[in-house]
Amino acid sequence: MKKVGFIGLGTMGSFMAQNIMAAGFPLYVYNRTAAKTAPLAAKGATICESPADVGRQCEICVVCVADAPDVEEVIMGPSGIAAGMKAGGLIIDCTTSSASLARHMHSQLAEREIGILDAPVSGGPEGARSGSLVIMVGGETDVFERAYPVLQAIGLKITLVGGPGAGQLTKAINQIIVGANLAIIAEGIALARKNGLDAAKVVDAIAGGAAKSWALSLRGPMMLNEKFRPPKFALALHAKDFRLALEAAEACGCQLDVTETVAELFKTLTEEGFGGLDHSGIYLHTKNQNGL
């Protein structure tokens, strides 16, 4: 089995790394907060001193960090993966990041004969735990085929959607659809409550019809109970994803009116100090607007 490295053991990454180990791959890990490596080390993973150390020891490295600057530092920085990885190595970036950065890294790494895929994931901690993530991949076909056994360990639906950057663009589309869905679910719950209805019964009634969605089933109950901690996916991270989507839209001249409106809601809530809540906490905006 190929040696696999994993960098970024957050809410998603810790489960993804566990599933890679469970699939039989020797695992090498690095995390900025070293304490998070302990559970994996107890199961046999090797702790590395830096991303470059991971790159030196592994043929394939998976990255799952917070934002584009983190990705660039972890992969391309002075102590990044590329500084240690040999020609023929392969990097799988599962971070929700920038399509333009993905294309730039592909170009730079190609000169070192290192392959890279932008492979952001969707499905939340639930999907990460069960190994049933949806993975949207951008990159070259031969690199995708080499990476596929590792991707299979963490995902159920794995799609090569296009060349470098295509995975990030697809994830941006995913995030604006999920975010808009959350915003409108919040308004539906508010409308039910303003009319004196049992909002839980309303959600249960519509969940079996055309309004059925992942957001309604898994985040609707969090809105109903106003239980936004601990976050399944932080509101601030979703605000970041909207920013990336709007940057991509601006780059190609695509007007996204609804996306801009919902992006502003996420941005405002983050600035007001709610960024650490679950993204279903967008309900707080509608709740406050309606005096609920």
Side-chain angles (χ1 to χ4, degrees):
M1 298 288 278
K2 292 185 182 299
K3 296 178 180 179
V4 177
F6 203 103
I7 298 173
L9 301 172
T11 304
M12 301 283 288
S14 58
F15 292 128
M16 294 161 68
Q18 287 176 37
N19 287 332
I20 290 169
M21 278 192 76
F25 292 98
L27 189 69
Y28 294 73
V29 297
Y30 171 81
N31 194 73
R32 186 170 52 188
T33 304
K36 291 186 177 181
T37 63
L40 288 164
K43 295 180 179 180
T46 300
I47 301 175
C48 297
E49 296 179 355
S50 67
D53 188 25
V54 178
R56 272 190 293 273
Q57 301 201 57
C58 299
E59 298 150 282
I60 299 175
C61 289
V62 183
V63 175
C64 187
V65 291
D67 201 350
D70 307 300
V71 170
E72 190 166 20
E73 179 65 23
V74 162
I75 296 176
M76 306 299 296
S79 298
I81 295 169
M85 183 169 271
K86 298 176 183 177
L90 191 163
I91 300 169
I92 304 170
D93 178 22
C94 292
T95 311
T96 299
S97 179
S98 158
S100 61
L101 175 60
R103 290 189 288 265
H104 172 72
M105 291 193 300
H106 173 269
S107 175
Q108 294 294 307
L109 292 171
E111 297 177 4
R112 308 188 195 190
E113 298 181 28
I114 295 173
I116 186 167
L117 300 172
D118 50 291
V121 300
S122 181
E126 302 93 342
R129 184 192 292 271
S130 65
S132 61
L133 292 168
V134 172
I135 310 178
M136 299 146 268
V137 187
E140 298 168 349
T141 302
D142 63 322
V143 178
F144 174 72
E145 290 173 350
R146 287 166 53 205
Y148 197 76
V150 175
L151 294 172
Q152 274 189 310
I154 59 176
L156 189 60
K157 183 174 179 59
I158 306 159
T159 308
L160 179 64
V161 292
Q168 295 297 352
L169 287 170
T170 303
K171 181 59 186 294
I173 293 165
N174 180 87
Q175 292 303 85
I176 64 176
I177 291 173
V178 171
N181 198 2
L182 289 170
I184 209 66
I185 290 168
E187 293 192 352
I189 290 172
L191 182 60
R193 286 177 168 165
K194 287 289 279 190
N195 279 279
L197 298 178
D198 183 330
K201 288 184 177 180
V202 171
V203 168
D204 182 63
I206 65 176
K212 181 180 180 180
S213 69
W214 176 93
L216 184 63
S217 297
L218 295 181
R219 300 297 181 260
M222 296 176 74
M223 294 187 196
L224 290 169
N225 296 318
E226 297 187 29
K227 182 174 171 53
F228 306 124
R229 289 186 185 277
K232 300 290 187 182
F233 183 72
L235 194 150
L237 289 177
H238 213 141
K240 176 265 295 185
D241 295 346
F242 268 91
R243 171 177 57 78
L244 292 170
L246 289 175
E247 287 173 0
E250 183 178 5
C252 67
C254 186
Q255 182 64 36
L256 303 175
D257 295 338
V258 174
T259 298
E260 289 182 0
T261 298
V262 180
E264 188 61 30
L265 295 180
F266 276 103
K267 179 175 180 287
T268 299
L269 284 167
T270 299
E271 291 172 346
E272 290 174 349
F274 298 110
L277 300 182
D278 186 80
H279 56 170
S280 57
I282 195 171
Y283 173 72
L284 293 176
H285 168 80
T286 308
K287 174 186 176 181
N288 293 337
Q289 288 287 96
N290 288 282
L292 293 169

